[in-house]
Amino acid sequence: MAKRDFYEILGVSKSASADEIKKAYRKVAMQYHPDRNPNDKEAEEKFKEAAEAYEVLSDADKKAKYDRYGHAAFGPGTGGGAGGYSNMDDIFSQFGDIFGDDMFGSFFGGGRRSSGGAGRARGQKGSNLRIKLKLNFEEIAKGVTKNVKVKKHVLCNTCGGNGAKDKNSVQNCGTCGGSGQVRRVTNTFLGQMQTVSTCPTCNGEGSTVTSKCGSCKGEGRVYGEETISIDIPAGVSEGMQLSMSGKGNAGERGGFAGDLIIQIEEETHPELQRDGLNVAYDLHISFSDAVFGTQVEVPTIDGRAKIKIPAGTQSGKIFRLKGKGFPEVQGYNKGDQLIYVNVWTPQQVSDEERQMLEKLGESPNFKPQPTKSDKSFFDRVKEAFS
C-alpha cells in the first residue's frame, strides 16, 4: 500500500511552523493513543504512522529533503527516515518528552506504560554515518539495489547490547527502584508540587551493571562491519542524500541506532552529459554527410540508437529522442536525449582539395541563404529546453 503524505497524516500544511507541527502531532497522538483505544489495531497503526510523520517533519534537514523528493528522499523501504515503528515502546521512549516527562502514563492513569521496562530510558543513541555512493547513468535511470559493506559500531553479540557480563550482572537501580525516574515533592506557596526527573544513578535506564561484558567493555556495542542493502530509486541526482533509519552506528547499552546518510555521486559518462532530466550528446558529422544526409548510430543511456541525418542538415541542428533521458524521482515525467549536430570543418587541406573548395565556393549553392525555417542558435536552444 502506498505511503500517505506526512502533512496529510498530521493535518498541517507545508508552510506549518515547527510549533504547529508539534501541536498537530500531540493532537493526533492523543486521539489514537493505545490507552484510549485498547485492542484497536487500526488506531495503533495510525499512532505509529503519526510518529513516523513527526520524526521527519520535526527535523529541519529531513523535512527539507521530504519537501523536495517525497518518500523517495529516504529510500524505498526505509520508512521515510523513521523506519516505520513496529515497537510501541520505541515511540514512547523517543517522543514522550513533547507531552511532558510523564505524559505517556500519568495522563492516562497510573504510571508509564510498561512492557519489560518500556518506561525507562534507553542507552545513548548511536551517531549517524555518512557514505558516498557512485552510480553510473544506467543505474540512475533505472534504479538499483546496492549491497555496501559499512564499517561501524554494531550490536555486541556476547551481551546482546546491554553491556553486562551475564544476566546476573544486571540489577534494578537502588535509587529509582527500576523506574528510571525519581520524584520529589516540594512545598510552595501554591501548595505541594511534584517534579519528576531522570534518575542520576542509572541515567534513566532503571538498571545498573555490576560486571561489564568482556567483549564490549560495557558499551553494548563493538566496532565491526555490516553489509547493508540500499535501494536507490530511479532518477536520483548528484548531491542528493538518502537516509536509512537505524542503519548508522549502534547505540550504547541498547540505545537507538543512528541513521545512515547516503550521498549520491554520478560517474562521468564517456560520451553523454546530464542536464537535469535530459541527456545531451555532441554528434560530429562530415561536410559531405551534412550535404547528402546519412544514418548514424549514437550512444544512449541503455545502449545505442540509429538516427537519420537528413540531407542539408545545418551545424547546430538539435535532434530529440523522446523519453531517452532520466525519470523524475517520485514523478511521472521523463527527460529526452538531445543530439547536437556539429558539422566538422577540416583544419588542414591538400592543394588539390583547396582548389576544389575554392571552385565550389563560387557556386550559388554554397552561398549562405538562410530561410525562416532555419532557426537561429538562440531559437534552437530555447526549443531544446522547452
Side-chain angles (χ1 to χ4, degrees):
M1 186 176 67
K3 294 177 72 68
R4 291 176 61 202
D5 179 74
F6 286 157
Y7 291 101
E8 178 188 342
I9 292 169
L10 298 185
V12 295
S13 66
K14 281 191 175 182
S15 60
S17 65
D19 190 51
E20 290 172 331
I21 291 171
K22 188 174 183 178
K23 288 179 180 178
Y25 171 56
R26 177 187 176 112
K27 180 180 177 181
V28 176
M30 297 275 273
Q31 180 181 355
Y32 295 111
H33 193 283
D35 286 349
R36 280 188 166 181
N37 304 272
N39 301 319
D40 188 337
K41 286 292 182 183
E42 184 178 354
E44 183 177 318
E45 288 305 314
K46 288 185 176 180
F47 186 73
K48 294 176 183 177
E49 191 178 48
E52 183 180 353
Y54 180 69
E55 181 180 354
V56 172
L57 301 185
S58 63
D59 183 296
D61 289 337
K62 290 182 179 180
K63 182 178 183 295
K65 294 171 193 170
Y66 179 75
D67 288 345
R68 185 175 182 185
Y69 301 110
H71 294 298
F74 308 99
T78 63
Y85 289 99
S86 59
N87 190 328
M88 299 293 289
D89 297 334
D90 289 348
I91 300 176
F92 299 141
S93 298
Q94 188 155 347
F95 299 124
D97 62 315
I98 75 164
F99 298 89
D101 285 338
D102 208 24
M103 175 270 172
F104 285 122
S106 61
F107 182 87
F108 292 100
R112 283 179 180 260
R113 292 169 54 89
S114 178
S115 176
R120 304 169 184 170
R122 302 182 68 166
Q124 184 177 346
K125 182 178 179 179
S127 59
N128 293 343
L129 278 177
R130 291 180 177 272
I131 64 171
K132 293 180 179 180
L133 189 61
K134 281 195 173 184
L135 303 174
N136 60 41
F137 275 22
E138 185 172 2
E139 290 171 333
I140 293 172
K142 296 180 178 180
V144 67
T145 298
K146 290 277 191 177
N147 293 318
V148 180
K149 289 183 178 180
V150 180
K151 294 185 181 297
K152 62 173 187 170
H153 283 105
V154 297
L155 196 70
C156 175
N157 290 327
T158 304
C159 64
N162 64 12
K165 181 179 179 180
D166 51 47
K167 63 180 180 180
N168 295 324
S169 300
V170 181
Q171 63 182 23
N172 275 353
C173 175
T175 303
C176 63
S179 68
Q181 299 174 329
V182 291
R183 299 172 186 269
R184 184 172 60 181
V185 178
T186 56
N187 292 316
T188 70
F189 68 94
L190 296 175
Q192 289 189 331
M193 180 176 291
Q194 177 177 270
T195 58
V196 180
S197 59
T198 301
C199 175
T201 303
C202 65
N203 294 320
E205 295 182 30
S207 60
T208 56
V209 175
T210 58
S211 183
K212 295 181 179 180
C213 170
S215 299
C216 63
K217 311 302 181 187
E219 282 195 12
R221 63 180 187 175
V222 295
Y223 196 72
E225 185 178 79
E226 181 182 353
T227 300
I228 300 174
S229 181
I230 304 174
D231 292 327
I232 307 296
V236 295
S237 57
E238 175 82 23
M240 181 177 174
Q241 291 186 348
L242 308 180
S243 175
M244 295 186 72
S245 180
K247 292 297 183 180
N249 281 312
E252 295 183 19
R253 297 181 305 281
F256 292 106
D259 297 341
L260 179 65
I261 312 299
I262 304 107
Q263 182 171 325
I264 301 299
E265 292 186 340
E266 293 181 2
E267 290 183 0
T268 302
H269 194 283
E271 298 176 284
L272 304 176
Q273 291 184 330
R274 183 173 184 176
D275 185 9
L277 297 183
N278 294 332
V279 61
Y281 175 67
D282 280 319
L283 174 64
H284 292 85
I285 61 174
S286 68
F287 177 72
S288 58
D289 283 341
V291 173
F292 300 117
T294 185
Q295 185 169 301
V296 297
E297 193 176 71
V298 297
T300 63
I301 292 175
D302 56 358
R304 303 188 72 83
K306 288 184 177 180
I307 64 168
K308 183 179 180 181
I309 305 296
T313 294
Q314 300 294 332
S315 188
K317 174 73 175 178
I318 301 173
F319 294 101
R320 183 186 296 266
L321 298 180
K322 200 74 175 174
K324 285 291 187 178
F326 294 97
E328 183 180 27
V329 178
Q330 286 291 96
Y332 299 100
N333 296 326
K334 193 170 185 180
D336 304 327
Q337 176 161 335
L338 305 177
I339 301 167
Y340 296 86
V341 176
N342 300 277
V343 178
W344 183 255
T345 302
Q347 296 176 340
Q348 292 180 339
V349 294
S350 65
D351 291 339
E352 183 181 355
E353 290 168 337
R354 180 184 296 276
Q355 292 175 4
M356 293 173 60
L357 288 171
E358 287 175 347
K359 186 176 181 179
L360 289 172
E362 297 173 357
S363 170
N365 291 332
F366 283 81
K367 302 290 184 183
Q369 298 176 6
T371 64
K372 289 184 178 180
S373 62
D374 294 317
K375 297 178 181 178
S376 69
F377 170 78
F378 295 105
D379 288 336
R380 289 195 296 268
V381 171
K382 186 184 298 184
E383 179 184 0
F385 290 97
S386 63

